Amino acid sequence: MKVILLQDVKSVGKKGDMVELSEGYARNFILPKKLGVEANNANMNNLKLQKANEAKIAKEQLEAAQALAKEVEEMLVKVTIKSGEGGRTFGSVSSKEISKAVAEQYGKEIDKKKMQMPDAIKSLGTYEVMVKLHPKVTAKLRVSVQEA
């Protein structure tokens, strides 16, 4: 029996796959638990439409991420931190503070979890922070750390 899976099923297939299963397994396990539906013409057409819609949404998200990446590349975010003599700082600048500064200065929301910093910034100067906006899109955000 051919079945279209509605959810991932271990050792059978992933969501959206059309798989050939034994009649008993399909009727007694997959269909009653709503893990899949029988692969008839109506359900196959729904699957095609759903995959086309998902592809369209994924393309729109990629384009939006690329547009945001261009904006991020042009930004220079200024962050202030207290420092003592010789340019030594008290504390460090974290991704949370950078995210807050971007929101205040440019009105853009960038999730602090998307910023890839090897470690916190602990001295004055200009740094480049990688921001992963999409699995295929990464941008460099310039951060200027200045004395408060």
Side-chain angles (χ1 to χ4, degrees):
M1 172 180 226
K2 289 193 182 227
V3 174
I4 299 171
L5 297 177
L6 299 175
Q7 296 178 16
D8 292 353
V9 180
K10 193 172 183 177
S11 73
V12 174
K14 299 249 182 232
K15 178 182 177 180
D17 289 350
M18 186 168 69
V19 293
E20 182 72 36
L21 300 173
S22 67
E23 189 86 17
Y25 185 61
R27 294 231 182 268
N28 295 323
F29 184 74
I30 299 292
L31 298 177
K33 291 196 174 188
K34 306 273 191 253
L35 298 175
V37 293
E38 190 174 347
N40 57 25
N41 287 339
N43 290 337
M44 298 257 295
N45 195 24
N46 286 343
L47 177 66
K48 283 182 187 175
L49 292 173
Q50 187 176 7
K51 284 193 175 185
N53 188 33
E54 288 173 1
K56 180 183 171 190
I57 290 172
K59 183 180 176 188
E60 289 173 355
Q61 288 176 341
L62 177 63
E63 289 172 355
Q66 289 171 338
L68 182 59
K70 285 182 181 177
E71 291 179 34
V72 168
E73 295 277 346
E74 296 171 1
M75 290 181 186
L76 175 62
V77 180
K78 295 180 178 130
V79 180
T80 58
I81 188 170
K82 282 187 176 182
S83 62
E85 52 188 71
R88 294 187 43 106
T89 60
F90 299 117
S92 62
V93 177
S94 65
S95 59
K96 181 179 178 181
E97 292 167 327
I98 295 171
S99 177
K100 185 178 176 185
V102 169
E104 289 173 358
Q105 294 171 23
Y106 293 97
K108 300 281 181 193
E109 290 294 324
I110 297 178
D111 190 8
K112 68 178 183 178
K113 295 173 187 165
K114 293 183 179 184
M115 292 184 193
Q116 299 171 334
M117 296 173 54
D119 52 336
I121 299 170
K122 295 184 179 184
S123 59
L124 303 177
T126 302
Y127 299 89
E128 286 187 348
V129 176
M130 300 302 289
V131 181
K132 189 164 184 157
L133 300 169
H134 187 272
K136 297 179 183 176
V137 179
T138 305
K140 289 181 185 173
L141 175 66
R142 291 182 329 206
V143 178
S144 175
V145 180
Q146 301 169 345
E147 188 175 349

